[in-house]
Amino acid sequence: MSNPDIPRVDAREKVCGATRYAADHVAPGLAHAMLAVATIGRGRVVSIDTDAARAVRGVRLILTHRDTAGLQSPGFVMGGGYGFQSLQPLLGAAIAYRGQPIALVVADTLEAAREGAALVRATYEEDAISVTLDAPGAEIIAQAESPLPQPAFADRVVGDAEGALSKAATRVEATFQGPPQHHNPMELLATVAEWSGETLTVREPTQSAEAVRHGLARVLGLPPDRIRVLSPTVGGGFGQKAAMQGHTALVALAARALGRPVKLVLPRAQIFNNASFRPASRHTVRLGADASGTLVAAVHEVDHQTSRHDLFPLIYTDLSARLYGIPNFRGHERLVRNDIQTPGFQRAPFEHIAACAFETAVDELAYALGRDPVALRVANDAAADPLTGRPFSSRHLVACLERGAERFGWAGRTQEPGSMRLPDGTLVGWGVAIGAYKASTAPAVALLRVTDAGEIFVSVGGHEMGQGIRTAIAATVAAELGVPAGAVTVLVGNTGVVPQHLTAGSWGAATALPAVRQAALNMVKELERLAGDGPAGRAFPQILRDARRSHVDVEARHRAPGQPEVIFDRVAQGLPSAVGPAYPEFISMSYCAQFVEVHIEPRTRRIRVPRVVSVVDCGRVISPRTARSQVIGGVVWGISAALREVSEVDTRYGGFLNADLAEYVIAVNADIGSIEAEFIDEPDPVLNSLGVKGLGEVVLVGVAPAIVNAIHHATGRRVRHLPVRIEDVL
């Protein structure tokens, strides 16, 4: 059973505007910074003129590549480093992509910094650019043959897919295009850097405070213990804030040079063109089934973008290989090097678009076989992991499908495309798709303190990005200590207390909560020891006072199944240390089933999504209220990704054209109808002591293909790209 549906512990502060974010920090003497960026897609800076910028009243400092001697690259996070890319701005004259910083202007006011940055002028030597998958000059590398660590990024192969396909009674083949997309969190990327003697404090919205700390140490040549990073609350991250940003060290350098705090808040246009994004991808899926409708073979081949300076891998086929019990599978990814910043992880980074390609092909196969799409999926469920043969720690995907079908009223669907209409002629389509996401876990250290004044403090590795991790942590402590969740103060995103492992990949709860629960159990034992044979029924403040103790501290550590104790050394170095879905004895994943209704107006052909039913298997639900919020948010994101979002590429000059919220179209309140969320709520028996699995990202997986499948049901048209636009159904 799930925990009680307690309110968010930070709800009042959020709605009252009391929550403080990194860029809210104001220190005496604070200066403001702004970047000047390259206006070419590739080449080098020949000369740079900062005279006009220096003449602006209030401008105090301008940094260019001539002023950064001694700085180093932070290294790419996927290559053992800390940065979202290996390219550290201002280390040289080379320009790798449009929007790359060429100068940092610091002034007394934000207005002066902006004016100064706009007046920086550079002359360039330009090279030809390649910014799309099929553009001339794009370099293609097979991911399995690249220098990337293997076997993590090797081809996914089991059985003889080609041979089984050639003998299959029914075959389908489809190519699906995934667009580049940007995260667009409400909170912009920002850094506030402040020195106190030789000690640096950085306030930054980040999902990996420890990576920022160690990345800064590497770039600036400082001992990590002289740097503290604070990220108390992140106003949305979705993967874009999962590593150190290129500007962070420049702000710290400027603050040291000026001897005063410096703040930089990147405009959204600069974020589009100088931070990570979801890369464009192309998927070819071939499926084969026997006469009974059993899937016998699948091939999934993918091309996706990376930068020239980094190889950014994504294992799309790790998802598609594990959705069904397909005995013959071949997955192959290729990296296409373009003149872009290094792409990165965006919510359900490869799973979302892999499911789009695979689940739309499965829907086409259902029609080719004359089978109901839900029944076909249920019949092809996997009993064990197809890639390794290991058992699943838990898998309730069929229950998700069956509960979703009942709640949605799937039995009332007619199979023929275009057969369901409203009285006014509106076309109605019902679609279904499934999703899965790795149930990963990372090591965590939790410190718990109770005081004789009745205070309870818990510190643990994690970051509050709006997903509700503080509430889940507080609920876990409250359940063991028998106190209200609101009595627990949670400290996360602070490198000055315990190591702050990256919070991403939906492993936040499975990482932090087991350590927190163990700390709470340790505290119960310690209080029992202190209570001794004294009077029963005393609350812990009285126990401490009677024992003449002002406070009691306990610690607990938790690591993933199969991880050695030395993994905590890696965590302390700020390096990603999560594992999953593959563990030594089992495979662990979260699952979902998405049921979607679309309406297509008879004249305008406008596409609406009035109803979604989402059923999720994420293990035990610790915080029902924030879990439901996660489902609603994931479905909204899926609707937006399916019908609205695309980052428009400028093939002439590089960069993105719609680099603001006016032209990067996202779903708004009027686009969203009823979203019903249901949880299987069965604890995973082996993943961790609480039985929790990840939730935040699995919900997005399956929403877009369910919409695309519903559009086919309404119109008879197969759309093989995102976003689906009106012209696709005219």
Side-chain angles (χ1 to χ4, degrees):
M1 293 293 293
S2 63
N3 282 13
D5 187 16
I6 64 171
R8 288 187 66 126
V9 297
D10 53 1
R12 181 175 178 81
E13 287 76 11
K14 278 180 170 285
V15 300
C16 292
T19 299
R20 309 307 292 170
Y21 297 86
D24 291 333
H25 181 69
V26 177
L30 181 71
H32 297 267
M34 189 57 59
L35 292 170
V37 299
T39 56
I40 64 168
R42 185 185 181 191
R44 60 183 299 272
V45 176
V46 175
S47 64
I48 187 165
D49 184 354
T50 60
D51 290 345
R54 293 182 191 279
V56 173
R57 176 181 293 182
V59 169
R60 302 300 178 189
L61 177 71
I62 299 178
L63 298 176
T64 71
H65 66 276
R66 298 187 295 257
D67 307 302
T68 57
L71 265 62
Q72 305 293 322
S73 165
F76 180 36
V77 67
M78 298 297 288
Y82 302 100
F84 90 88
Q85 62 179 356
S86 61
L87 188 153
Q88 171 61 47
L90 305 194
L91 290 194
I95 300 299
Y97 56 89
R98 184 179 180 89
Q100 179 180 323
I102 60 170
L104 181 78
V105 179
V106 187
D108 295 332
T109 66
L110 176 60
E111 292 78 9
R114 291 177 60 134
E115 182 181 356
L119 291 173
V120 173
R121 295 288 182 265
T123 58
Y124 303 96
E125 183 180 279
E126 294 189 55
D127 295 331
I129 63 168
S130 170
V131 292
T132 59
L133 289 173
D134 297 315
E139 180 187 358
I140 299 176
I141 302 172
Q143 190 163 280
E145 299 170 6
S146 72
L148 293 163
Q150 303 296 338
F153 303 112
D155 288 350
R156 268 47 180 173
V157 178
V158 60
D160 177 11
E162 299 291 349
L165 268 175
S166 68
K167 300 173 185 175
T170 303
R171 295 187 293 269
V172 300
E173 179 174 344
T175 297
F176 198 96
Q177 302 281 348
Q181 295 175 329
H182 279 76
H183 309 68
N184 277 307
M186 290 184 68
E187 182 191 29
L188 301 169
L189 298 179
T191 298
V192 182
E194 187 172 3
W195 292 81
S196 177
E198 295 300 312
T199 301
L200 170 64
T201 298
V202 167
R203 291 171 171 83
E204 178 159 319
T206 180
Q207 298 170 232
S208 188
E210 210 67 59
V212 174
R213 180 167 80 105
H214 285 267
L216 280 168
R218 179 178 292 186
V219 175
L220 299 175
L222 293 175
D225 59 9
R226 282 173 42 192
I227 302 172
R228 187 179 188 186
V229 177
L230 304 175
S231 185
T233 305
V234 182
F238 318 120
Q240 192 172 65
K241 300 172 182 175
M244 179 177 163
Q245 308 296 328
H247 66 268
T248 306
L250 302 179
V251 178
L253 184 65
R256 184 167 62 183
L258 285 175
R260 57 193 286 195
V262 174
K263 176 191 291 187
L264 171 63
V265 179
L266 266 66
R268 198 168 294 273
Q270 290 189 358
I271 294 174
F272 264 77
N273 291 297
N274 195 44
S276 64
F277 64 99
R278 192 193 302 278
S281 61
R282 179 171 51 234
H283 304 249
T284 298
V285 175
R286 291 183 286 151
L287 300 177
D290 64 19
S292 70
T294 300
L295 281 161
V296 296
V299 174
H300 185 181
E301 298 170 312
V302 189
D303 289 348
H304 84 265
Q305 291 178 301
T306 188
S307 66
R308 300 263 187 205
H309 43 280
D310 295 313
L311 294 177
F312 175 65
L314 287 174
I315 45 176
Y316 303 88
T317 63
D318 200 61
L319 180 281
S320 48
R322 290 183 156 123
L323 280 178
Y324 298 98
I326 305 175
N328 302 284
F329 183 92
R330 181 174 67 82
H332 178 67
E333 288 97 355
R334 299 194 308 173
L335 299 159
V336 181
R337 277 184 146 160
N338 284 152
D339 300 306
I340 55 176
Q341 68 264 37
T342 303
F345 300 104
Q346 183 169 335
R347 196 173 190 175
F350 56 84
E351 294 87 353
H352 152 68
I353 197 64
C356 283
F358 208 80
E359 281 294 274
T360 53
V362 169
D363 196 71
E364 185 169 348
L365 180 66
Y367 273 86
L369 291 165
R371 295 285 300 276
D372 174 77
V374 171
L376 180 71
R377 287 171 167 83
V378 170
N380 283 282
D381 189 42
D385 178 52
L387 289 180
T388 64
R390 297 175 199 167
F392 294 111
S393 63
S394 61
R395 181 179 170 108
H396 302 290
L397 181 53
V398 168
C400 290
L401 282 164
E402 291 175 344
R403 285 199 199 178
E406 180 179 359
R407 188 162 179 172
F408 191 80
W410 187 260
R413 177 185 186 268
T414 55
Q415 180 85 338
E416 185 68 23
S419 60
M420 298 176 67
R421 294 174 183 253
L422 299 181
D424 66 355
T426 295
L427 295 171
V428 177
W430 287 4
V432 64
I434 62 172
Y437 194 87
K438 62 184 183 294
S440 294
T441 306
V445 177
L447 294 178
L448 182 61
R449 167 176 288 191
V450 299
T451 74
D452 60 358
E455 301 162 311
I456 304 171
F457 302 95
V458 59
S459 302
V460 67
H463 301 77
E464 177 59 82
M465 304 176 291
Q467 81 277 35
I469 195 170
R470 276 195 175 92
T471 302
I473 291 169
T476 301
V477 173
E480 301 301 337
L481 296 188
V483 298
V488 182
T489 299
V490 178
L491 188 64
V492 291
N494 186 330
T495 63
V497 186
V498 295
Q500 298 295 307
H501 187 272
L502 165 67
T503 304
S506 288
W507 59 60
T511 293
L513 298 189
V516 167
R517 178 174 184 263
Q518 187 58 53
L521 293 174
N522 293 348
M523 180 62 74
V524 170
K525 290 182 179 179
E526 179 62 15
L527 291 173
E528 289 174 349
R529 187 189 68 81
L530 289 174
D533 297 328
R538 290 176 295 167
F540 72 82
Q542 188 62 50
I543 293 173
L544 293 183
R545 288 193 291 268
D546 291 346
R548 298 184 179 181
R549 298 281 296 273
S550 62
H551 66 273
V552 172
D553 294 332
V554 297
E555 176 182 309
R557 295 183 170 214
H558 181 267
R559 60 188 190 275
Q563 284 190 321
E565 179 69 20
V566 294
I567 194 67
F568 288 104
D569 295 338
R570 183 175 171 86
V571 175
Q573 296 169 36
L575 296 169
S577 306
V579 296
Y583 296 89
E585 298 179 357
F586 56 86
I587 304 297
S588 191
M589 304 187 79
S590 296
Y591 303 96
C592 66
Q594 306 289 358
F595 291 81
V596 169
E597 179 175 327
V598 301
H599 289 179
I600 301 178
E601 295 177 355
R603 287 173 293 277
T604 67
R605 309 297 279 186
R606 184 168 59 178
I607 305 168
R608 293 291 196 189
V609 182
R611 188 164 65 105
V612 178
V613 170
S614 182
V615 185
V616 186
D617 166 26
C618 59
R620 181 185 177 195
V621 178
I622 297 294
S623 172
R625 188 166 304 192
T626 57
R628 190 169 302 277
S629 177
Q630 285 284 289
V631 172
I632 293 171
V635 170
V636 170
W637 191 304
I639 293 170
S640 193
L643 301 177
R644 299 287 185 267
E645 294 185 49
V646 57
S647 300
E648 301 287 356
V649 178
D650 190 333
T651 57
R652 305 162 303 167
Y653 307 114
F656 297 96
L657 293 164
N658 56 334
D660 54 52
L661 287 181
E663 295 188 69
Y664 185 91
V665 184
I666 60 175
V668 297
N669 194 55
D671 296 315
I672 306 304
S674 167
I675 299 174
E676 299 180 48
E678 184 169 328
F679 299 97
I680 301 300
D681 200 14
E682 288 286 343
D684 188 289
V686 296
L687 184 60
N688 54 63
S689 61
L690 284 165
V692 298
K693 300 191 289 188
L695 172 61
E697 300 189 73
V698 70
V699 182
L700 173 58
V701 187
V703 177
I707 292 171
V708 174
N709 292 339
I711 289 170
H712 168 261
H713 181 233
T715 66
R717 298 191 181 190
R718 289 285 177 194
V719 181
R720 296 298 184 197
H721 59 258
L722 296 184
V724 182
R725 293 186 164 114
I726 288 177
E727 53 265 35
D728 294 316
V729 295
L730 282 174

